[in-house]
mmCIF file of all heavy atoms in Angstrom:
data_model
loop_
_atom_site.group_PDB
_atom_site.id
_atom_site.type_symbol
_atom_site.label_atom_id
_atom_site.label_comp_id
_atom_site.label_asym_id
_atom_site.label_seq_id
_atom_site.Cartn_x
_atom_site.Cartn_y
_atom_site.Cartn_z
ATOM 1 N N SER A 107 -10.162 6.653 11.014
ATOM 2 C CA SER A 107 -9.039 7.395 11.434
ATOM 3 C C SER A 107 -7.756 6.969 10.839
ATOM 4 O O SER A 107 -7.462 5.667 11.004
ATOM 5 C CB SER A 107 -8.921 7.567 12.921
ATOM 6 O OG SER A 107 -7.844 8.327 13.307
ATOM 7 N N ARG A 108 -7.012 7.787 10.219
ATOM 8 C CA ARG A 108 -5.635 7.497 9.611
ATOM 9 C C ARG A 108 -5.745 6.529 8.417
ATOM 10 O O ARG A 108 -4.690 6.040 8.007
ATOM 11 C CB ARG A 108 -4.687 6.912 10.645
ATOM 12 C CG ARG A 108 -4.274 7.924 11.789
ATOM 13 C CD ARG A 108 -3.309 7.272 12.875
ATOM 14 N NE ARG A 108 -2.895 8.203 13.682
ATOM 15 C CZ ARG A 108 -3.380 8.734 14.727
ATOM 16 N NH1 ARG A 108 -4.704 8.215 15.063
ATOM 17 N NH2 ARG A 108 -2.859 9.602 15.459
ATOM 18 N N ALA A 109 -6.913 6.507 7.881
ATOM 19 C CA ALA A 109 -7.077 5.602 6.610
ATOM 20 C C ALA A 109 -6.669 6.506 5.374
ATOM 21 O O ALA A 109 -7.453 6.827 4.472
ATOM 22 C CB ALA A 109 -8.446 5.175 6.485
ATOM 23 N N ASN A 110 -5.368 6.802 5.258
ATOM 24 C CA ASN A 110 -4.893 7.837 4.286
ATOM 25 C C ASN A 110 -5.066 7.180 2.829
ATOM 26 O O ASN A 110 -4.928 7.927 1.813
ATOM 27 C CB ASN A 110 -3.423 8.064 4.486
ATOM 28 C CG ASN A 110 -3.227 9.112 5.697
ATOM 29 O OD1 ASN A 110 -3.861 10.119 5.748
ATOM 30 N ND2 ASN A 110 -2.574 8.705 6.684
ATOM 31 N N GLY A 111 -5.063 5.845 2.586
ATOM 32 C CA GLY A 111 -5.149 5.260 1.347
ATOM 33 C C GLY A 111 -6.603 5.375 0.742
ATOM 34 O O GLY A 111 -6.775 5.079 -0.444
ATOM 35 N N LEU A 112 -7.614 5.669 1.595
ATOM 36 C CA LEU A 112 -8.957 5.881 1.125
ATOM 37 C C LEU A 112 -9.172 7.145 0.500
ATOM 38 O O LEU A 112 -8.951 8.221 1.111
ATOM 39 C CB LEU A 112 -9.898 5.492 2.366
ATOM 40 C CG LEU A 112 -11.340 5.177 2.136
ATOM 41 C CD1 LEU A 112 -11.571 3.956 1.244
ATOM 42 C CD2 LEU A 112 -12.186 5.145 3.399
ATOM 43 N N LYS A 113 -9.852 7.189 -0.673
ATOM 44 C CA LYS A 113 -10.166 8.334 -1.413
ATOM 45 C C LYS A 113 -11.594 8.429 -1.682
ATOM 46 O O LYS A 113 -12.480 7.573 -1.086
ATOM 47 C CB LYS A 113 -9.348 8.429 -2.653
ATOM 48 C CG LYS A 113 -7.868 8.405 -2.391
ATOM 49 C CD LYS A 113 -7.278 9.447 -1.509
ATOM 50 C CE LYS A 113 -5.766 9.327 -1.252
ATOM 51 N NZ LYS A 113 -5.227 10.305 -0.305
ATOM 52 N N PHE A 114 -12.002 9.485 -2.588
ATOM 53 C CA PHE A 114 -13.365 9.721 -2.769
ATOM 54 C C PHE A 114 -14.189 8.584 -3.197
ATOM 55 O O PHE A 114 -15.185 8.205 -2.683
ATOM 56 C CB PHE A 114 -13.389 10.744 -3.854
ATOM 57 C CG PHE A 114 -14.738 11.085 -4.427
ATOM 58 C CD1 PHE A 114 -15.693 11.673 -3.686
ATOM 59 C CD2 PHE A 114 -15.019 10.527 -5.762
ATOM 60 C CE1 PHE A 114 -16.957 11.913 -4.248
ATOM 61 C CE2 PHE A 114 -16.371 10.778 -6.321
ATOM 62 C CZ PHE A 114 -17.298 11.269 -5.516
ATOM 63 N N SER A 115 -13.725 7.810 -4.185
ATOM 64 C CA SER A 115 -14.587 6.732 -4.677
ATOM 65 C C SER A 115 -14.826 5.719 -3.702
ATOM 66 O O SER A 115 -15.954 5.166 -3.540
ATOM 67 C CB SER A 115 -13.955 6.028 -5.949
ATOM 68 O OG SER A 115 -12.734 5.516 -5.660
ATOM 69 N N GLY A 116 -13.884 5.221 -2.895
ATOM 70 C CA GLY A 116 -14.042 4.237 -1.842
ATOM 71 C C GLY A 116 -15.072 4.671 -0.857
ATOM 72 O O GLY A 116 -15.802 4.009 -0.267
ATOM 73 N N LEU A 117 -14.784 6.029 -0.419
ATOM 74 C CA LEU A 117 -15.548 6.646 0.697
ATOM 75 C C LEU A 117 -16.964 6.692 0.222
ATOM 76 O O LEU A 117 -17.896 6.482 1.013
ATOM 77 C CB LEU A 117 -15.086 7.938 1.039
ATOM 78 C CG LEU A 117 -15.350 8.560 2.404
ATOM 79 C CD1 LEU A 117 -15.054 7.580 3.525
ATOM 80 C CD2 LEU A 117 -14.757 9.946 2.644
ATOM 81 N N GLU A 118 -17.225 7.077 -1.008
ATOM 82 C CA GLU A 118 -18.531 7.159 -1.631
ATOM 83 C C GLU A 118 -19.271 5.833 -1.543
ATOM 84 O O GLU A 118 -20.529 5.666 -1.111
ATOM 85 C CB GLU A 118 -18.534 7.780 -2.920
ATOM 86 C CG GLU A 118 -19.888 8.042 -3.588
ATOM 87 C CD GLU A 118 -19.678 8.727 -5.025
ATOM 88 O OE1 GLU A 118 -18.940 8.188 -5.847
ATOM 89 O OE2 GLU A 118 -20.466 9.507 -5.327
ATOM 90 N N MET A 119 -18.606 4.681 -2.018
ATOM 91 C CA MET A 119 -19.148 3.384 -1.949
ATOM 92 C C MET A 119 -19.623 3.030 -0.612
ATOM 93 O O MET A 119 -20.550 2.449 -0.386
ATOM 94 C CB MET A 119 -18.238 2.426 -2.656
ATOM 95 C CG MET A 119 -18.043 2.553 -4.121
ATOM 96 S SD MET A 119 -16.968 1.111 -4.828
ATOM 97 C CE MET A 119 -15.392 1.601 -4.166
#
Side-chain angles (χ1 to χ4, degrees):
S107 175
R108 294 182 170 81
N110 288 303
L112 193 61
K113 302 301 179 185
F114 167 74
S115 60
L117 199 55
E118 186 179 44
M119 286 188 289

